[in-house]
């Protein structure tokens, strides 16, 4: 079986959210699995010198329009959240803590967290909201709340960000297929063709 596809994303990224709703199904159509890697764009931006799209003059106004249009194009439910963007350390730490116990549960949490923010407008930047989202999936909220403040879990996320940067990841979503990088949900057609042809 071919190696898994790597999917890097920040929980505050609307384009990452759109990709999260599509990438597993597309990969499965070609007999591939996907490894999910939540990261912190704030950490990546210290290297890439990037900043949130909505903070960029001219591009920011376009981004707001494009995000809503992209949601319609991909057929994904979306409601512009407020506040935006948000810190996502708690959600990313929760993912890795869950992943080390149950990969499938971590995936369900990632979907639930993304949808809580970009569909229901819940501020997953708040650790207590992250705990509530996870508890809705049957996770022990008390244990998770403690884990979010633990040094090993913090180190796990820090290492994940460093590993992503080392692989050239500079944005969200970022997909790597057999060493070939693709940035942005708008690269989905290229991703599908790459998987279909084995490269071009």
């Amino acid at each position: 079986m071919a190696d898994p596809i790597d999917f890097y994303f920040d929980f505050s990224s609307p384009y990452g959210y759109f990709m999260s709703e599509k990438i597993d199904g597309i990969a499965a159509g070609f007999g591939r699995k996907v490894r999910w890697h939540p990261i912190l764009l704030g950490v990546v931006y210290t290297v890439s010198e990037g900043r949130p799209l909505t903070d960029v003059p001219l591009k920011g106004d376009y981004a707001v329009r494009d995000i809503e249009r992209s949601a319609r194009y991909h057929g994904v439910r979306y409601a512009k959240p407020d506040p935006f963007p948000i810190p996502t350390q708690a959600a990313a730490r929760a993912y890795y803590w869950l992943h080390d116990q149950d990969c499938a549960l971590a995936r369900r949490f990632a979907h639930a967290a993304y949808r809580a923010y970009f569909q229901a407008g819940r501020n997953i930047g708040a650790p207590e909201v992250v705990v509530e989202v996870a508890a809705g999936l049957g996770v022990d909220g008390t244990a998770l709340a403690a884990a979010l403040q633990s040094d090993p879990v913090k180190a796990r996320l820090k290492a994940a960000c460093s590993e992503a940067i080392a692989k050239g990841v500079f944005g969200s979503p970022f997909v790597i297929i057999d060493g070939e990088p693709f940035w942005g949900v708008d690269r989905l057609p290229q991703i599908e063709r790459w998987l279909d042809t084995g490269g071009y």
Side-chain angles (χ1 to χ4, degrees):
M1 181 178 290
D3 291 338
I5 294 167
D6 288 300
F7 166 44
Y8 298 86
F9 61 95
D10 186 303
F11 278 107
S12 189
S13 164
Y15 296 112
Y17 160 57
F18 302 151
M19 181 69 83
S20 76
E21 295 286 334
K22 301 293 181 178
I23 190 64
D24 282 339
I26 288 172
F30 296 97
R32 304 287 288 262
K33 293 185 177 181
V34 183
R35 285 186 296 235
W36 288 37
H37 307 272
I39 58 171
L40 303 178
L41 281 178
V43 174
V44 173
Y45 287 165
T46 63
V47 179
S48 70
E49 300 182 359
R51 57 175 164 159
L53 281 176
T54 52
D55 290 349
V56 180
L58 299 181
K59 186 183 290 185
D61 291 339
Y62 169 81
V64 170
R65 187 185 191 102
D66 183 66
I67 290 166
E68 294 178 350
R69 182 178 60 224
S70 295
R72 296 193 300 270
Y73 175 79
H74 290 289
V76 176
R77 282 185 56 197
Y78 170 80
K80 185 178 182 295
D82 184 25
F84 175 83
I86 55 171
T88 55
Q89 290 92 332
R93 289 174 188 167
Y95 177 90
Y96 285 117
W97 183 73
L98 291 169
H99 186 273
D100 289 343
Q101 304 170 59
D102 185 332
C103 179
L105 178 58
R107 189 70 53 90
R108 291 198 300 276
F109 165 77
H111 281 301
Y114 253 145
R115 292 166 186 167
Y117 185 50
F118 286 112
Q119 292 183 14
R122 301 185 67 192
N123 184 358
I124 60 169
E128 61 271 20
V129 175
V130 169
V131 170
E132 290 172 6
V133 170
L137 301 174
V139 175
D140 182 334
T142 301
L144 174 56
L148 294 181
Q149 300 304 318
S150 71
D151 288 339
V153 174
K154 291 179 180 179
R156 177 81 168 82
L157 176 56
K158 184 177 180 179
C161 292
S162 295
E163 291 165 6
I165 291 169
K167 291 185 178 180
V169 174
F170 57 83
S172 170
F174 204 98
V175 173
I176 300 178
I177 305 172
D178 303 326
E180 187 71 17
F182 298 87
W183 173 48
V185 71
D186 54 335
R187 292 296 180 267
L188 271 174
Q190 292 189 27
I191 287 172
E192 291 190 74
R193 184 177 175 191
W194 191 272
L195 290 169
D196 185 42
T197 61
Y200 48 84

